Structures are given as structure tokens and as C-alpha cells.
């Protein structure tokens, strides 16, 4: 009998820890840490933005590694494939958050929502690439076939991103345009700010682990349900056949 | 190698008989060039954007072309028959790549002429070599990514829109590289010939990387299910 819930003691512990850490981050980010001497209150966006970006990259690295393992093991079990998919889903979510919080911060600090800075541009292409990866995963069909295709796609993405990054860096360096403000630096972190940022990273990582475990289990159930659905349909046709045969007597 | 050439010959023969490039892709590409000019509505602006518009049009045309070659292959399971008849997947990949390359080469030469005629772009004699190298390496890059991602989405529902979503971000470095290099070849003031050649190097790396990746992945993508 398969459990109806995707929660276990482990996920509950992780979930409660995540809530506790994030509650502390919210309190500290809004009330304890000081405003930046240059950026003022907008610096508080950083406590959500930096951890979100960190999780996004962690998620895509996880997807790359698990896809590689899944492909190397020739998808004998689908566990690694499901982790890859779950991790990419969560990664797209956090990268979306990072892009939104980043552009809000950019509007306040640089005076513009978007800068064609190499890092931002690469991140945007990474985001679109993984949206495409998820689109491929969401097409119904044989789970093994899906596993192989998406693993190949994930590894191609690993190949693509350095090329995108390199070309964008070259592109920006050849176009000597004045940048509004240096995208790095300008933030002086005191100990409390650093600790809050660090807590944010820890909290978001816990959320990431919690979400990936649940999504991974949900994917397992969905694959099972597809199989069960097919069996049930076959049994129903058999019963119909039996009923017709029975009615004919 | 011989097998790859046979596959390429087959693809080009299908193409030649159907004349899709001639009746659909080329008119589409020229139409897009005209529409860009109408939308931008300023001659200096069009001239400044000419190289980018040429390669953006090439990206869209590649999608059309790739969809078409895989539509032909998946009808009547032609590709499976090809693979069961002892043709190595790698050879199928390079054969299809080469056929796409030839067609994209024709198309990009036409579009560069289109930019010269419609947008008023100029190429000095010394930049012709640069331009030819750009066109050849970019067409190879487009063909390799197109053939590879076409194989990824072959046999899938809604593959047309998926191909665009998957292949366009991958082609971003090619678009940047080919546009900037062509800008240099068109004698732009913002970019010199030397940096044009630097971009060609990027195009070459791109073409090699995705040819190799395609050769490695194509067999796995085409493998029949266990």
C-alpha cells in the first residue's frame, strides 16, 4: 500500500526548521539589521535575493549531476530522474524570484529594472532554458523515454550555459557603454547583516530540500498512478466483457 | 562517412523534389527582412541593425527548416527504418546536419544579399573573406543545433513550439557572435575587423561543440525503447 501523503518525519523536521529559520530572517531583515548607508532600506531586498539566486544555481547543479547519474545508470531506476525534475522545478521558481527581487532592487538602486550585465543576461537565458526543460518533462508518455530525453537536455544545458556566459561577457566588453552603477560592491556588510544573509541561505536551502523531496515523491506517485490507471482500464474492459458474456446466457 | 553522405544526399533530394526551401522558407525569410524594415521605419536605424536582423531571421528560418526535415522523417517511421537498416546513428546525424547546412548556407547568402539590397549594407573587398567565414561557421552552428534539438523533440506532441523554446536560448551565443562579426564585415564604426575575427572564433567553437554533442547524443535519442 502506497502512502497517500508525501510527508514523513524527515520532511516535517526539515519543514519546521525551515519555518523557524525563515521567521528569524524576516525579523532580522526588517527590524534588527540597519539600513545601508548608501542604498538605504532597499538593501533589505538582498536578504531574499541572494539566497534565492544561490538556491537557483544549487538547483540547476543538482539537476545536472542527477541527470548525469541517471543517464550513466541507463535509467534503471527513475529516482535520479525524478530528483532532477523536482530540482529543476524548484530552481525555476527560485530563479524567477531572484530575477523579480533583483529587478526591484535594480529599480531602486540603479534607477532601472534591467541591466544588460553579463551575469543578469546569462541568468535570464538559464531561466528560459530550464523553462524549456520543464516543458519537455511535462509531456506525458513513457517515463523511461522522458527520463532519457530530459537527462540529455539537462546535460546540453550544462554545455550551453558557459557558451552563453562567455559570449555575453565578450559582447558587453566590446561595447564600452557607461554602466549606471557597478553591479557588484557598494554594499558594506556589518556582522549582523552577514549573519542574516547567511541565515537566509540556510533557510532557503531547507525550503529547497523540503520542496524537492515532496515533488520527487509526488512524481513517483504520479508515475505509479499512470500504471495503475492503465491496469484499472484493462480490468474494466475485462469486466465488461465478462458482463456481456454473463448477460448472454 | 560514406553513409553520412548518402543520408545527406537523400535529405537534399527530398528537399529538391519538394522545393520547400524555395517556395516557403526563402520567401518567409525575405518577408521577415521587409517586415523588420517596416517596423523600424528609419533608414539609419535599419542600417545599424542590419546584421542582427539577418541573423535573427536565420534563427527563425532554421526552426522552419528543421521542423520540416523531421516531419518527413517521422512520417511512416522513416527514421526508424533508416536506423534499423544498419546506418550508424552518428552518420544519420552528420548526414542530416550536412543537408541542413547546405540549405542554410544558401539561405544566409541570400539574406546577406538581401541586407545589401534592402538595408543598404556595404561590404568592402577586404571584408569578403571575413563574411564568407562567418556565413559558413554560423550556418554549420545553426545546422548542428537544429539537427540535435529537432531530434530531441521528434515524435513529441506540440513539437513545433517546443523546438523554438528549446533551441532559441541555445542559439543565443551564435546570434550574438554572428551579428557582431557581420557588423564588422559590413564596415561598422563601432566594431573593427579584428574583433570580427574574434567573434568568428566563437562561432567556430560553438559549431564544433554542438556537432560533437549532437554526435554523442543522437544515438541515445534515437535508441528504440527497451
Amino acid at each position: 500500500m502506497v502512502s497517500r501523503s508525501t510527508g514523513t518525519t524527515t520532511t516535517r523536521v526539515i519543514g519546521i526548521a525551515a519555518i523557524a529559520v525563515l521567521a528569524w530572517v524576516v525579523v532580522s531583515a526588517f527590524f534588527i539589521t540597519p539600513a545601508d548607508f548608501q542604498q538605504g532600506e532597499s538593501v533589505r531586498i538582498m536578504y531574499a535575493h541572494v539566497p534565492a539566486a544561490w538556491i537557483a544555481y544549487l538547483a540547476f547543479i543538482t539537476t545536472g549531476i542527477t541527470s548525469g547519474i541517471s543517464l550513466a545508470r541507463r535509467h534503471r531506476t527513475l529516482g535520479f530522474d525524478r530528483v532532477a525534475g523536482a530540482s529543476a522545478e524548484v530552481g525555476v521558481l527560485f530563479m524567477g524570484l531572484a530575477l523579480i527581487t533583483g529587478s526591484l532592487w535594480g529599480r531602486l538602486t540603479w534607477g532601472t529594472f534591467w541591466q544588460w550585465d553579463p551575469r543578469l543576461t546569462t541568468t535570464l537565458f538559464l531561466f528560459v532554458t530550464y523553462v524549456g526543460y520543464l516543458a519537455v518533462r511535462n509531456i506525458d508518455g513513457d517515463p523511461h523515454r522522458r527520463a532519457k530525453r530530459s537527462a540529455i537536455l539537462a546535460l546540453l544545458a550544462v554545455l550551453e550555459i558557459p557558451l552563453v556566459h562567455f559570449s555575453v561577457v565578450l559582447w558587453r566588453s566590446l561595447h564600452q557603454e557607461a554602466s549606471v552603477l557597478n553591479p557588484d560592491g557598494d554594499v558594506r556588510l556589518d556582522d549582523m547583516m552577514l549573519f542574516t544573509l547567511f541565515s537566509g541561505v540556510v533557510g532557503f536551502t531547507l525550503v529547497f530540500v523540503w520542496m524537492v523531496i515532496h515533488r520527487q515523491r509526488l512524481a513517483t506517485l504520479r508515475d505509479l498512478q499512470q500504471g495503475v490507471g492503465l491496469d484499472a482500464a484493462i480490468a474494466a474492459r475485462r469486466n465488461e466483457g465478462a458482463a456481456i458474456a454473463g448477460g448472454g446466457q | 562517412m560514406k553513409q553520412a553522405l548518402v543520408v545527406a544526399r537523400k535529405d537534399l533530394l527530398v528537399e529538391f523534389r519538394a522545393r520547400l526551401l524555395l517556395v516557403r522558407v526563402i520567401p518567409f525569410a525575405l518577408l521577415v527582412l521587409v517586415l523588420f524594415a517596416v517596423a523600424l521605419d528609419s533608414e539609419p536605424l535599419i542600417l545599424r541593425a542590419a546584421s542582427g536582423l539577418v541573423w535573427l531571421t536565420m534563427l527563425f528560418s532554421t526552426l522552419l527548416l528543421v521542423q520540416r526535415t523531421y516531419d518527413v522523417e517521422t512520417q511512416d517511421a522513416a527514421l526508424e527504418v533508416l536506423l534499423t537498416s544498419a546506418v550508424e546513428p552518428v552518420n544519420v546525424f552528420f548526414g542530416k546536419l550536412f543537408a541542413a547546412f547546405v540549405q542554410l548556407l544558401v539561405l544566409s547568402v541570400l539574406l546577406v544579399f538581401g541586407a545589401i539590397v534592402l538595408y543598404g549594407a556595404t561590404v568592402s573587398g577586404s571584408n569578403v573573406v571575413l563574411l564568407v567565414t562567418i556565413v559558413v561557421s554560423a550556418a554549420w552552428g545553426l545546422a548542428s543545433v537544429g539537427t540535435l534539438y529537432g531530434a530531441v523533440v521528434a515524435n513529441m506532441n506540440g513539437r513545433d513550439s517546443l523546438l523554438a523554446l528549446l533551441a532559441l536560448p541555445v542559439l543565443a551565443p551564435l546570434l550574438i557572435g554572428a551579428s557582431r562579426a557581420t557588423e564588422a564585415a559590413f564596415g561598422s564604426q563601432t566594431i573593427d575587423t579584428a574583433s570580427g575575427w574574434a567573434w568568428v572564433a566563437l562561432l567556430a567553437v560553438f559549431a564544433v561543440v554542438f556537432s560533437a554533442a549532437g554526435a554523442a547524443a543522437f544515438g541515445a535519442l534515437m535508441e528504440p525503447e527497451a
Side-chain angles (χ1 to χ4, degrees), chain A residues 74 139 145 148-149 156 174, chain B residues 152 154 156 199 220 223 225:
Chain A
R74 303 194 67 81
I139 289 174
R145 198 179 175 84
K148 188 158 66 186
R149 263 191 188 152
L156 286 173
L174 291 177
Chain B
V152 172
M156 279 175 127
W199 283 115
E223 219 166 66
E225 292 314 306

Side-chain angles (χ1 to χ4, degrees), chain A residues 52 54-67 79-95 130-131 133-134 137 154 207-217 219:
Chain A
W54 147 253
I55 293 303
Y57 284 104
L58 174 73
F60 296 140
I61 292 168
T62 309
T63 300
I65 292 172
T66 47
S67 298
F80 284 106
D81 169 65
R82 292 188 190 115
V83 173
S87 170
E89 273 182 354
V90 181
V92 165
L93 174 73
F94 277 95
M95 186 148 284
Y130 278 92
V131 168
Y133 169 83
L134 290 183
R137 284 197 75 89
V207 173
F208 168 74
V209 172
W210 184 84
M211 282 175 122
V212 168
I213 293 176
H214 276 290
R215 285 300 300 172
Q216 189 271 123
R217 287 181 182 158

Side-chain angles (χ1 to χ4, degrees), chain A residues 7-182:
Chain A
T8 54
T9 315
T10 317
T11 58
R12 279 179 207 114
V13 169
I14 294 172
I16 290 166
I19 290 172
V21 174
L22 289 181
W24 152 250
V25 171
V26 169
V27 171
S28 177
F30 281 111
F31 303 109
I32 300 177
T33 56
D36 187 67
F37 81 105
Q38 256 191 344
Q39 297 177 21
E41 303 293 336
S42 72
V43 76
R44 300 186 197 283
I45 293 177
M46 180 184 72
Y47 303 119
H49 172 73
V50 174
W54 147 253
I55 293 303
Y57 284 104
L58 174 73
F60 296 140
I61 292 168
T62 309
T63 300
I65 292 172
T66 47
S67 298
I69 297 173
S70 179
L71 201 63
R73 290 166 50 92
R74 303 194 67 81
H75 317 293
R76 275 193 292 274
T77 55
L78 289 174
F80 284 106
D81 169 65
R82 292 188 190 115
V83 173
S87 170
E89 273 182 354
V90 181
V92 165
L93 174 73
F94 277 95
M95 186 148 284
L97 281 177
L99 287 169
I100 292 170
T101 51
S103 63
L104 291 177
W105 180 84
R107 183 77 183 86
L108 291 171
T109 314
W110 302 335
T112 162
F113 284 110
W114 190 260
Q115 277 273 304
W116 291 101
D117 156 74
R119 192 156 40 145
L120 290 184
T121 313
T122 307
T123 306
L124 188 63
F125 277 113
L126 187 64
F127 180 72
V128 181
T129 301
Y130 278 92
V131 168
Y133 169 83
L134 290 183
V136 169
R137 284 197 75 89
N138 280 340
I139 289 174
D140 288 333
D142 174 44
H144 284 271
R145 198 179 175 84
R146 181 197 66 198
K148 188 158 66 186
R149 263 191 188 152
S150 38
I152 291 172
L153 263 183
L155 293 183
L156 286 173
V158 171
L159 206 63
E160 166 205 343
I161 293 308
L163 275 172
V164 169
H165 187 73
F166 178 69
S167 66
V168 176
V169 168
L170 196 58
W171 171 47
R172 290 328 303 179
S173 65
L174 291 177
H175 275 235
Q176 290 295 339
E177 283 166 15
S179 54
V180 180
L181 226 165
N182 182 6

Side-chain angles (χ1 to χ4, degrees), chain B residues 56-140:
Chain B
L56 201 51
T57 311
M58 279 304 292
L59 250 59
F60 294 139
S61 309
T62 304
L63 297 180
L64 274 187
L65 214 115
V66 167
Q67 273 160 25
R68 162 72 187 177
T69 107
Y70 277 96
D71 279 350
V72 172
E73 292 291 3
T74 48
Q75 275 167 22
D76 311 321
L79 200 55
E80 274 111 78
V81 175
L82 195 63
L83 288 164
T84 45
S85 59
V87 182
E88 288 291 323
V90 172
N91 290 331
V92 176
F93 175 74
F94 279 113
K96 295 193 77 61
L97 194 165
F98 190 71
F101 166 70
V102 170
Q103 297 175 54
L104 289 169
L105 200 59
V106 172
L107 190 62
S108 43
V109 168
L110 276 175
L111 286 183
V112 168
F113 275 111
I116 291 169
V117 173
L118 292 172
Y119 296 168
T122 48
V123 187
S124 66
S126 56
N127 280 340
V128 170
V129 182
L130 175 62
L131 194 58
V132 170
T133 323
I134 295 163
V135 166
V136 169
S137 52
W140 190 273

